[in-house]
Amino acid sequence: MRSVLIATAAGLLPSLVAGAYSATYLPVTLPEKTEEGQWGTNQCGTESKQDSNCQNLYINSIDDFCLWAPHTLAKVGDAERETVSYCLRSGYGTRLIPDGTIKGAHLVQTPDYIQITGMGDFTSMNIPKGDAGGELDPHGADQKGNPIGGIVFGTSFGGLQQYHEWTNFMSSTEFCIRGCKDGKDARKFCQHIYDIVGCGFNMPGNYTEGVFESCKGDSTYFPGLYSVSAADGSWSTSTFRQGQAKTPDPHPAAPSSECVFISTVSNQPAVSPTLTYFSTKSVSSATTTPSSSAGGGNVAATDKNSASLSGQAALVVVGMVTGLVSTFLAL
């Protein structure tokens, strides 16, 4: 039953977004690599270690998110094709963001995207001191992404799903990351063409140190697009092109509310049981529990594990299909 559900999921995903994206994944359906020339891997397992080459990233909550950074000491702009994932939570098979690295974090979830902005000391993540940083996104000059093969997931819009449009700016002291809900405006909200103007232009928001908050908010207007009034009272849209003589001011951050504060963020295990993140390995190990002919205790446990994992797979499929159907209708 589990294999049928997983196979069904894998088959449904590309068809539901046909014409929009070439592939859609969940952690359980990922191949070893998703792009030719990829340095790392997308089959990451669940063991977190500081030499991991995992290139899957998660944006779930103020205390459960990941960021891209070099796998060895290098400027972000030089290493963007080979960056790897560093996460607050263990269990994703990635490297961990060392405790104390994040000095402030501000999450805003809007109808169109989830965004986290903040400050930190990212020299602990192989970014040299003083590095002004660079942008990571799923496109790059050859559409293979920076990093090549980097995949982003999140749970903010109706269950675990892949964000096909996302952007992350990293420097030695500042970060911002946004995952955009699939839809007709996803690429406008998650622009990838303003790579030298940084977080403040692309993701207006709160960057205050010492504050960790999670808020609801409205969507800030598309970066780089501006409404211009003419003498006759009509309005048109002007698009800023990077490299023009004058860089316009960024849009002000949209209003936010319902903020919940926590004292800090630190390493902790991913939510258990990880209904949306379980791997093929964990499914296999759970279903190979030896049975006992003497009393049947292990048989019952095995059946219970099988039923539980079938339920988990069903939850993944239902959540993923529900999210993708709504996405498909919105495209």
Side-chain angles (χ1 to χ4, degrees), residues 299-323:
V299 174
T302 303
D303 291 342
K304 184 177 180 180
N305 286 340
S306 298
S308 174
L309 287 166
S310 295
Q312 291 174 13
L315 283 173
V316 172
V317 174
V318 170
M320 145 180 99
V321 171
T322 300

Side-chain angles (χ1 to χ4, degrees), residues 2 62 70-71 127 152 175 190 216 250 270 292 294 317 320:
R2 287 184 299 280
I62 192 64
H71 60 84
I127 300 177
V152 175
F175 77 94
C190 278
K216 300 291 185 183
S292 170
V317 174
M320 145 180 99

Side-chain angles (χ1 to χ4, degrees), residues 25 30-44 53-57 68 71 80-85 142 144-153 166:
Y25 300 105
L30 281 165
E32 181 181 359
K33 297 179 183 290
T34 54
E35 291 287 355
E36 184 179 352
Q38 182 174 348
W39 182 84
T41 183
N42 301 114
Q43 287 186 351
C44 301
N53 297 332
C54 181
Q55 293 181 305
N56 301 336
L57 183 146
W68 299 112
H71 60 84
E80 61 183 9
R81 309 241 73 185
E82 299 179 354
T83 52
V84 296
S85 180
D142 56 7
K144 291 183 178 181
N146 291 323
I148 297 174
I151 301 291
V152 175
F153 298 105
W166 52 268

Side-chain angles (χ1 to χ4, degrees), residues 262-278:
I262 60 175
S263 59
T264 189
V265 295
S266 60
N267 297 151
Q268 54 185 307
V271 177
S272 181
T274 46
L275 295 180
T276 51
Y277 308 121
F278 71 92

Side-chain angles (χ1 to χ4, degrees), residues 182-252:
D182 284 350
K184 62 183 180 65
D185 291 325
R187 288 199 178 195
K188 294 179 183 177
F189 282 116
C190 278
Q191 278 285 10
H192 61 279
I193 59 174
Y194 301 119
D195 58 332
I196 64 173
V197 289
C199 280
F201 187 90
N202 286 274
M203 286 175 252
N206 192 345
Y207 289 82
T208 306
E209 285 194 34
V211 178
F212 300 85
E213 62 180 348
S214 180
C215 308
K216 300 291 185 183
D218 298 331
S219 299
T220 300
Y221 195 61
F222 312 129
L225 295 182
Y226 296 87
S227 295
V228 180
S229 61
D232 61 2
S234 61
W235 290 82
S236 61
T237 299
S238 172
T239 302
F240 165 64
R241 306 293 180 187
Q242 192 167 261
Q244 290 178 348
K246 179 176 172 55
T247 300
D249 292 334
H251 296 300

